[in-house]
Coordinates of all heavy atoms in Angstrom, one line a residue:
Chain A
Q304 N 5.2 -15.8 -11.9 CA 5.9 -14.7 -11.2 C 4.9 -13.6 -11.0 O 4.8 -12.9 -9.9 CB 7.1 -14.3 -12.0 CG 7.8 -13.1 -11.4 CD 9.2 -13.0 -11.9 OE1 10.0 -13.9 -11.8 NE2 9.6 -11.9 -12.4
A305 N 4.2 -13.2 -12.1 CA 3.2 -12.1 -12.0 C 2.2 -12.4 -10.9 O 1.9 -11.5 -10.1 CB 2.6 -11.8 -13.3
Y306 N 1.6 -13.6 -11.0 CA 0.5 -13.9 -10.1 C 1.0 -13.9 -8.6 O 0.3 -13.3 -7.7 CB -0.1 -15.2 -10.4 CG -1.3 -15.6 -9.6 CD1 -2.5 -14.9 -9.7 CD2 -1.2 -16.6 -8.6 CE1 -3.6 -15.3 -8.9 CE2 -2.3 -17.0 -7.8 CZ -3.5 -16.3 -8.0 OH -4.6 -16.6 -7.2
C307 N 2.1 -14.5 -8.4 CA 2.5 -14.7 -7.0 C 2.9 -13.3 -6.4 O 2.6 -13.1 -5.2 CB 3.5 -15.8 -6.8 SG 5.2 -15.2 -6.7
K308 N 3.6 -12.5 -7.2 CA 4.0 -11.2 -6.6 C 2.8 -10.3 -6.3 O 2.8 -9.6 -5.3 CB 4.9 -10.5 -7.5 CG 6.4 -11.0 -7.4 CD 7.2 -10.7 -8.6 CE 7.8 -9.3 -8.5 NZ 8.7 -9.1 -9.6
M309 N 1.7 -10.4 -7.1 CA 0.5 -9.7 -6.7 C -0.1 -10.1 -5.4 O -0.4 -9.3 -4.5 CB -0.6 -9.9 -7.8 CG -0.4 -9.2 -9.1 SD -2.0 -9.2 -10.0 CE -2.1 -10.9 -10.5
L310 N -0.1 -11.4 -5.2 CA -0.7 -11.9 -4.0 C 0.2 -11.7 -2.8 O -0.3 -11.4 -1.7 CB -1.0 -13.5 -4.1 CG -2.4 -13.8 -4.5 CD1 -2.8 -13.2 -5.8 CD2 -2.7 -15.2 -4.4
L311 N 1.5 -11.7 -3.0 CA 2.4 -11.4 -1.9 C 2.2 -9.9 -1.5 O 2.2 -9.6 -0.3 CB 3.9 -11.6 -2.3 CG 4.3 -13.0 -2.5 CD1 5.7 -13.1 -3.0 CD2 4.2 -13.8 -1.2
H312 N 1.9 -9.1 -2.4 CA 1.7 -7.7 -2.1 C 0.5 -7.5 -1.3 O 0.5 -6.8 -0.2 CB 1.6 -6.9 -3.4 CG 1.7 -5.4 -3.2 ND1 1.2 -4.5 -4.1 CD2 2.2 -4.6 -2.2 CE1 1.4 -3.2 -3.7 NE2 2.1 -3.3 -2.6
A313 N -0.6 -8.2 -1.7 CA -1.9 -8.1 -0.9 C -1.7 -8.7 0.5 O -2.2 -8.2 1.4 CB -3.0 -8.9 -1.7
A314 N -0.9 -9.8 0.5 CA -0.7 -10.5 1.8 C 0.1 -9.6 2.8 O 0.0 -9.7 4.0 CB -0.1 -11.8 1.6
K315 N 1.1 -8.9 2.2 CA 1.9 -8.1 3.1 C 1.1 -7.0 3.8 O 1.5 -6.6 4.9 CB 3.0 -7.4 2.2 CG 4.1 -6.7 3.0 CD 5.2 -6.0 2.2 CE 6.2 -5.4 3.1 NZ 7.2 -4.6 2.3
Y316 N 0.1 -6.4 3.1 CA -0.7 -5.3 3.7 C -2.1 -5.7 3.8 O -3.0 -5.2 3.0 CB -0.5 -4.1 2.8 CG 0.9 -3.6 2.8 CD1 1.7 -3.7 1.6 CD2 1.5 -3.0 3.9 CE1 3.0 -3.3 1.6 CE2 2.8 -2.6 3.9 CZ 3.6 -2.7 2.7 OH 4.9 -2.3 2.7
P317 N -2.4 -6.7 4.7 CA -3.8 -7.2 4.7 C -4.8 -6.1 5.1 O -6.0 -6.3 4.8 CB -3.7 -8.3 5.7 CG -2.5 -8.0 6.5 CD -1.6 -7.3 5.7
N318 N -4.4 -5.1 5.8 CA -5.4 -4.1 6.2 C -5.4 -2.8 5.3 O -6.0 -1.8 5.7 CB -5.1 -3.7 7.7 CG -3.6 -3.2 7.8 OD1 -2.7 -3.8 7.2 ND2 -3.4 -2.2 8.6
C319 N -4.8 -2.9 4.2 CA -4.8 -1.8 3.3 C -5.2 -2.2 1.9 O -5.1 -3.3 1.5 CB -3.4 -1.3 3.1 SG -2.6 -0.5 4.4
A320 N -5.6 -1.2 1.1 CA -5.7 -1.4 -0.4 C -4.3 -1.4 -0.9 O -3.4 -0.8 -0.4 CB -6.5 -0.3 -1.0
V321 N -4.1 -2.2 -2.0 CA -2.8 -2.2 -2.7 C -3.0 -2.2 -4.1 O -4.1 -2.6 -4.6 CB -1.9 -3.5 -2.3 CG1 -1.6 -3.6 -0.9 CG2 -2.5 -4.8 -2.9
N322 N -2.0 -1.7 -4.9 CA -2.2 -1.7 -6.3 C -0.8 -1.8 -7.0 O 0.3 -1.8 -6.3 CB -2.9 -0.5 -6.8 CG -2.1 0.8 -6.6 OD1 -1.1 0.9 -6.0 ND2 -2.7 1.9 -7.2
G323 N -0.8 -2.0 -8.3 CA 0.5 -2.2 -9.0 C 0.2 -2.4 -10.5 O -0.9 -2.3 -11.0
L324 N 1.3 -2.6 -11.2 CA 1.2 -2.7 -12.7 C 1.6 -4.1 -13.1 O 2.4 -4.8 -12.5 CB 2.1 -1.7 -13.3 CG 1.8 -0.2 -13.0 CD1 2.9 0.7 -13.6 CD2 0.5 0.1 -13.5
L325 N 1.1 -4.5 -14.3 CA 1.5 -5.8 -14.9 C 2.2 -5.4 -16.2 O 1.7 -4.5 -17.0 CB 0.2 -6.6 -15.2 CG -0.5 -7.1 -13.9 CD1 -1.9 -7.6 -14.3 CD2 0.3 -8.3 -13.3
C345 N 5.1 -8.4 -12.4 CA 4.2 -7.4 -11.8 C 5.1 -6.5 -11.0 O 6.1 -6.9 -10.4 CB 3.1 -8.1 -11.0 SG 3.2 -7.9 -9.2
L346 N 4.7 -5.2 -11.0 CA 5.4 -4.2 -10.2 C 4.5 -3.6 -9.2 O 3.6 -2.8 -9.5 CB 5.9 -3.1 -11.2 CG 6.9 -3.7 -12.2 CD1 7.0 -2.9 -13.5 CD2 8.3 -3.9 -11.6
P347 N 4.7 -4.0 -7.9 CA 3.8 -3.4 -6.9 C 4.1 -1.9 -6.7 O 5.2 -1.5 -6.6 CB 4.3 -4.2 -5.6 CG 5.2 -5.3 -6.1 CD 5.8 -4.9 -7.4
L348 N 3.0 -1.2 -6.6 CA 3.1 0.3 -6.5 C 2.9 0.7 -5.0 O 3.8 1.1 -4.3 CB 2.1 1.0 -7.4 CG 2.4 1.0 -8.9 CD1 1.3 1.6 -9.7 CD2 3.8 1.6 -9.2
F349 N 1.6 0.8 -4.6 CA 1.4 1.5 -3.4 C 0.5 0.6 -2.4 O -0.1 -0.3 -2.9 CB 0.7 2.8 -3.6 CG 1.4 3.7 -4.5 CD1 0.9 4.0 -5.8 CD2 2.6 4.4 -4.1 CE1 1.6 4.8 -6.7 CE2 3.3 5.2 -5.0 CZ 2.8 5.4 -6.3
H350 N 0.5 1.0 -1.2 CA -0.4 0.4 -0.2 C -1.0 1.6 0.6 O -0.4 2.6 0.9 CB 0.3 -0.6 0.7 CG 1.5 0.0 1.4 ND1 2.8 0.0 0.9 CD2 1.6 0.6 2.6 CE1 3.6 0.6 1.7 NE2 2.9 0.9 2.8
G351 N -2.3 1.4 1.1 CA -2.9 2.4 1.9 C -3.7 3.4 1.0 O -4.7 3.1 0.4
L353 N -4.3 5.0 -2.3 CA -3.9 4.8 -3.7 C -4.3 6.0 -4.6 O -3.9 6.0 -5.8 CB -4.7 3.5 -4.3 CG -4.6 2.3 -3.5 CD1 -5.4 1.2 -4.2 CD2 -3.2 1.8 -3.2
Y381 N -3.3 -3.9 -11.4 CA -4.0 -4.7 -10.4 C -4.3 -3.9 -9.2 O -3.6 -2.9 -8.9 CB -3.3 -6.0 -10.1 CG -2.1 -5.8 -9.2 CD1 -2.2 -5.8 -7.8 CD2 -0.8 -5.6 -9.8 CE1 -1.1 -5.6 -7.0 CE2 0.3 -5.5 -9.0 CZ 0.2 -5.5 -7.6 OH 1.3 -5.3 -6.8
Q382 N -5.3 -4.3 -8.5 CA -5.7 -3.6 -7.3 C -6.4 -4.6 -6.3 O -7.2 -5.5 -6.8 CB -6.7 -2.5 -7.6 CG -7.0 -1.6 -6.4 CD -7.8 -0.4 -6.9 OE1 -7.3 0.4 -7.8 NE2 -8.9 -0.1 -6.2
A383 N -6.2 -4.5 -5.0 CA -6.9 -5.2 -4.0 C -7.5 -4.1 -3.1 O -6.8 -3.2 -2.7 CB -6.0 -6.1 -3.2
N384 N -8.8 -4.1 -3.0 CA -9.5 -3.0 -2.2 C -9.3 -3.3 -0.7 O -9.0 -4.4 -0.2 CB -11.0 -3.0 -2.6 CG -11.1 -2.3 -3.9 OD1 -10.3 -1.5 -4.3 ND2 -12.2 -2.7 -4.6
E385 N -9.6 -2.2 0.0 CA -9.4 -2.2 1.5 C -10.4 -3.1 2.2 O -10.1 -3.9 3.1 CB -9.5 -0.8 2.0 CG -9.1 -0.7 3.5 CD -9.3 0.7 4.0 OE1 -9.2 1.7 3.2 OE2 -9.5 0.9 5.2
R386 N -11.7 -3.0 1.7 CA -12.7 -3.8 2.3 C -12.8 -5.1 1.7 O -12.8 -5.2 0.5 CB -14.1 -3.0 2.2 CG -14.2 -1.9 3.2 CD -15.6 -1.3 3.2 NE -16.6 -2.1 2.9 CZ -17.5 -1.9 1.9 NH1 -17.4 -0.8 1.2 NH2 -18.5 -2.7 1.6
K387 N -12.8 -6.2 2.5 CA -12.7 -7.5 2.0 C -13.8 -7.9 1.0 O -13.5 -8.6 0.1 CB -12.7 -8.5 3.2 CG -11.4 -8.8 3.8 CD -11.2 -10.2 4.3 CE -12.0 -10.4 5.6 NZ -11.7 -11.7 6.2
D389 N -15.3 -6.1 -1.1 CA -15.5 -5.2 -2.3 C -14.4 -5.5 -3.3 O -13.3 -5.0 -3.1 CB -15.5 -3.8 -1.7 CG -15.5 -2.8 -2.8 OD1 -15.8 -3.1 -3.9 OD2 -15.3 -1.6 -2.5
S390 N -14.7 -6.2 -4.4 CA -13.7 -6.4 -5.4 C -14.0 -5.8 -6.7 O -13.6 -6.4 -7.7 CB -13.2 -7.9 -5.4 OG -14.4 -8.7 -5.2
V413 N -6.9 -6.1 -13.2 CA -7.0 -7.4 -12.5 C -7.3 -7.0 -11.0 O -6.6 -6.3 -10.4 CB -5.7 -8.1 -12.5 CG1 -5.7 -9.4 -11.7 CG2 -5.3 -8.5 -14.0
M414 N -8.5 -7.5 -10.5 CA -8.9 -7.2 -9.2 C -8.6 -8.4 -8.3 O -8.9 -9.6 -8.8 CB -10.3 -6.8 -9.1 CG -10.7 -5.5 -9.8 SD -9.8 -4.1 -9.1 CE -10.6 -3.9 -7.5
I415 N -8.0 -8.3 -7.2 CA -7.7 -9.4 -6.3 C -8.9 -9.5 -5.3 O -9.2 -8.5 -4.7 CB -6.4 -9.2 -5.5 CG1 -5.3 -9.1 -6.5 CG2 -6.2 -10.4 -4.6 CD1 -3.9 -8.7 -5.9
D416 N -9.4 -10.7 -5.2 CA -10.6 -10.9 -4.3 C -10.0 -11.3 -3.0 O -9.7 -12.4 -2.7 CB -11.5 -12.0 -4.9 CG -12.7 -12.2 -4.1 OD1 -12.8 -11.6 -3.0 OD2 -13.6 -13.0 -4.5
N417 N -9.9 -10.2 -2.1 CA -9.3 -10.4 -0.8 C -10.0 -11.5 0.0 O -9.3 -12.1 0.8 CB -9.4 -9.1 0.0 CG -8.3 -8.2 -0.3 OD1 -7.2 -8.6 -0.6 ND2 -8.5 -6.9 -0.2
S418 N -11.3 -11.6 -0.1 CA -12.0 -12.5 0.8 C -11.6 -13.9 0.6 O -11.9 -14.7 1.4 CB -13.5 -12.3 0.6 OG -13.9 -12.6 -0.7
R419 N -11.0 -14.2 -0.6 CA -10.6 -15.6 -0.8 C -9.1 -15.9 -0.7 O -8.6 -16.9 -1.1 CB -11.1 -16.0 -2.2 CG -12.6 -16.1 -2.3 CD -13.0 -16.7 -3.7 NE -12.8 -15.8 -4.8 CZ -12.7 -16.2 -6.0 NH1 -12.7 -17.4 -6.3 NH2 -12.5 -15.3 -7.0
L420 N -8.4 -14.9 -0.1 CA -6.9 -15.1 0.0 C -6.6 -16.1 1.1 O -7.0 -15.9 2.3 CB -6.3 -13.7 0.4 CG -4.8 -13.7 0.5 CD1 -4.1 -14.1 -0.8 CD2 -4.3 -12.2 0.8
T421 N -6.0 -17.2 0.7 CA -5.6 -18.2 1.7 C -4.2 -18.7 1.4 O -3.7 -18.4 0.4 CB -6.5 -19.5 1.6 OG1 -6.3 -20.1 0.3 CG2 -8.0 -19.2 1.7
M422 N -3.6 -19.4 2.4 CA -2.3 -19.9 2.2 C -2.2 -20.9 1.2 O -1.2 -21.0 0.5 CB -1.8 -20.5 3.6 CG -1.4 -19.5 4.6 SD 0.2 -18.9 4.4 CE 0.3 -17.6 5.6
C424 N -4.0 -21.3 -1.6 CA -4.2 -20.8 -2.9 C -4.8 -21.9 -3.8 O -4.4 -22.0 -5.0 CB -2.9 -20.4 -3.6 SG -1.9 -19.3 -2.6
P427 N -7.7 -19.7 -8.1 CA -7.3 -18.4 -8.5 C -8.2 -17.4 -7.9 O -9.5 -17.5 -7.9 CB -7.4 -18.3 -10.0 CG -7.8 -19.7 -10.5 CD -8.2 -20.5 -9.3
I428 N -7.7 -16.3 -7.3 CA -8.5 -15.3 -6.7 C -8.5 -13.9 -7.3 O -8.6 -12.9 -6.7 CB -8.2 -15.2 -5.2 CG1 -6.7 -14.7 -5.0 CG2 -8.4 -16.5 -4.4 CD1 -6.4 -14.2 -3.6
V429 N -8.3 -14.0 -8.6 CA -8.3 -12.7 -9.4 C -9.5 -12.6 -10.3 O -10.1 -13.7 -10.7 CB -7.1 -12.5 -10.2 CG1 -5.9 -12.2 -9.3 CG2 -6.8 -13.7 -11.1
I430 N -10.0 -11.4 -10.5 CA -11.1 -11.2 -11.5 C -10.5 -10.2 -12.5 O -9.9 -9.2 -12.2 CB -12.3 -10.5 -10.8 CG1 -12.7 -11.4 -9.6 CG2 -13.4 -10.4 -11.8 CD1 -13.6 -10.6 -8.6
T459 N 3.1 -19.8 -5.4 CA 2.4 -18.7 -4.5 C 2.2 -19.3 -3.1 O 2.5 -18.6 -2.1 CB 1.1 -18.3 -5.1 OG1 1.3 -17.9 -6.5 CG2 0.5 -17.1 -4.4
L462 N 5.5 -19.5 -1.2 CA 6.0 -18.2 -0.8 C 5.2 -17.6 0.3 O 5.7 -16.9 1.2 CB 6.2 -17.3 -2.0 CG 7.3 -17.7 -3.0 CD1 7.4 -16.7 -4.1 CD2 8.6 -17.8 -2.3
L463 N 3.9 -17.8 0.2 CA 3.0 -17.2 1.3 C 3.3 -17.9 2.6 O 3.4 -17.3 3.6 CB 1.5 -17.4 0.9 CG 0.9 -16.5 -0.1 CD1 -0.5 -16.8 -0.4 CD2 0.9 -15.0 0.5
R466 N 6.3 -16.8 4.3 CA 6.2 -15.4 4.7 C 7.2 -14.5 3.8 O 7.7 -13.5 4.3 CB 6.5 -15.2 6.2 CG 5.3 -15.6 6.9 CD 5.5 -15.9 8.4 NE 6.0 -14.9 9.2 CZ 5.8 -14.8 10.5 NH1 4.9 -15.6 11.1 NH2 6.4 -13.9 11.3
S467 N 7.4 -14.9 2.6 CA 8.2 -14.1 1.7 C 7.7 -12.7 1.5 O 8.4 -11.8 1.1 CB 8.3 -14.7 0.3 OG 9.1 -15.9 0.4
Y468 N 6.4 -12.5 1.7 CA 5.8 -11.2 1.5 C 6.4 -10.1 2.4 O 6.3 -9.0 2.1 CB 4.3 -11.2 1.7 CG 3.8 -11.9 3.0 CD1 3.8 -11.2 4.2 CD2 3.3 -13.2 2.9 CE1 3.3 -11.9 5.3 CE2 2.9 -13.9 4.1 CZ 2.9 -13.2 5.3 OH 2.5 -13.8 6.4
E469 N 7.0 -10.6 3.5 CA 7.7 -9.6 4.4 C 8.8 -8.9 3.6 O 9.1 -7.7 4.0 CB 8.3 -10.3 5.6 CG 7.2 -10.7 6.6 CD 7.8 -11.6 7.7 OE1 9.0 -11.7 7.8 OE2 7.0 -12.0 8.5
N470 N 9.4 -9.5 2.6 CA 10.5 -8.9 1.9 C 10.0 -8.3 0.6 O 10.9 -7.8 -0.2 CB 11.5 -10.0 1.6 CG 12.1 -10.6 2.9 OD1 12.2 -9.9 3.8 ND2 12.3 -11.9 2.8
L471 N 8.7 -8.3 0.3 CA 8.3 -7.7 -1.0 C 8.4 -6.2 -0.9 O 8.0 -5.6 0.1 CB 6.8 -8.1 -1.2 CG 6.4 -7.6 -2.6 CD1 6.3 -8.7 -3.6 CD2 5.0 -6.9 -2.5
I472 N 8.9 -5.6 -2.0 CA 9.1 -4.2 -2.0 C 8.2 -3.6 -3.0 O 8.1 -4.0 -4.1 CB 10.6 -3.8 -2.5 CG1 11.6 -4.5 -1.5 CG2 10.8 -2.3 -2.6 CD1 11.6 -3.9 -0.1
D473 N 7.4 -2.6 -2.5 CA 6.6 -1.8 -3.5 C 7.2 -0.4 -3.7 O 8.2 -0.1 -3.0 CB 5.1 -1.8 -3.1 CG 4.8 -1.1 -1.8 OD1 5.7 -0.4 -1.3 OD2 3.7 -1.3 -1.3
F474 N 6.5 0.4 -4.5 CA 7.1 1.7 -4.8 C 7.1 2.6 -3.6 O 8.0 3.4 -3.4 CB 6.3 2.3 -6.0 CG 7.1 3.4 -6.7 CD1 8.1 3.0 -7.5 CD2 6.9 4.7 -6.5 CE1 8.9 4.0 -8.2 CE2 7.6 5.7 -7.1 CZ 8.6 5.3 -8.0
N476 N 7.7 1.6 -0.6 CA 8.9 1.2 0.2 C 10.1 1.8 -0.4 O 11.0 2.2 0.3 CB 9.1 -0.3 0.2 CG 7.9 -1.1 0.8 OD1 7.5 -2.1 0.3 ND2 7.3 -0.6 1.9
N487 N 12.1 -6.3 -7.1 CA 12.1 -7.5 -6.3 C 13.0 -8.7 -6.8 O 12.5 -9.8 -7.0 CB 10.7 -8.0 -6.1 CG 9.9 -7.1 -5.2 OD1 10.1 -7.1 -4.0 ND2 9.0 -6.3 -5.8
I490 N 12.9 -12.0 -4.7 CA 11.7 -12.8 -4.8 C 11.6 -13.5 -6.2 O 11.2 -14.6 -6.4 CB 10.4 -12.0 -4.6 CG1 10.4 -11.6 -3.1 CG2 9.1 -12.7 -4.9 CD1 9.2 -10.9 -2.6
Chain B
R926 N 3.1 -1.1 11.4 CA 2.0 -2.0 11.6 C 2.5 -3.4 11.1 O 1.7 -4.1 10.5 CB 0.8 -1.5 10.9 CG -0.4 -2.1 11.5 CD -1.7 -1.4 11.2 NE -2.9 -2.1 11.6 CZ -4.1 -1.7 11.5 NH1 -4.4 -0.6 11.0 NH2 -5.1 -2.5 11.9
S928 N 2.4 -6.4 12.1 CA 1.7 -7.1 13.2 C 2.3 -8.5 13.6 O 2.4 -8.8 14.7 CB 0.2 -7.2 13.0 OG -0.3 -5.8 12.8
E929 N 2.6 -9.2 12.5 CA 3.1 -10.6 12.8 C 4.4 -10.5 13.6 O 4.6 -11.3 14.5 CB 3.4 -11.4 11.5 CG 2.1 -12.0 11.0 CD 2.3 -12.6 9.6 OE1 3.3 -12.3 9.0 OE2 1.4 -13.3 9.1
D963 N -4.8 -7.9 14.5 CA -4.5 -7.9 13.1 C -4.3 -9.4 12.7 O -4.5 -9.7 11.5 CB -3.3 -7.1 12.8 CG -3.6 -5.6 12.6 OD1 -4.8 -5.3 12.4 OD2 -2.7 -4.8 12.6

Side-chain angles (χ1 to χ4, degrees):
Chain A
Q304 179 161 303
Y306 184 70
C307 98
K308 280 160 80 174
M309 282 197 292
L310 262 64
L311 288 175
H312 195 202
K315 186 181 183 188
Y316 298 107
N318 53 324
C319 290
V321 299
N322 67 354
L324 300 174
L325 292 163
C345 114
L346 298 159
L348 287 177
F349 304 108
H350 56 270
L353 307 182
Y381 75 86
Q382 185 171 311
N384 285 332
E385 189 184 333
R386 281 186 32 237
K387 275 214 285 192
D389 176 9
S390 32
V413 176
M414 296 299 293
I415 300 172
D416 186 352
N417 273 332
S418 62
R419 292 187 288 157
L420 182 59
T421 64
M422 284 278 173
C424 306
I428 60 165
V429 288
I430 305 163
T459 307
L462 291 179
L463 282 174
R466 285 161 56 154
S467 287
Y468 48 82
E469 287 172 5
N470 302 324
L471 183 103
I472 301 294
D473 64 12
F474 202 75
N476 302 137
N487 289 286
I490 293 189
Chain B
R926 203 160 169 177
S928 303
E929 276 172 349
D963 275 345

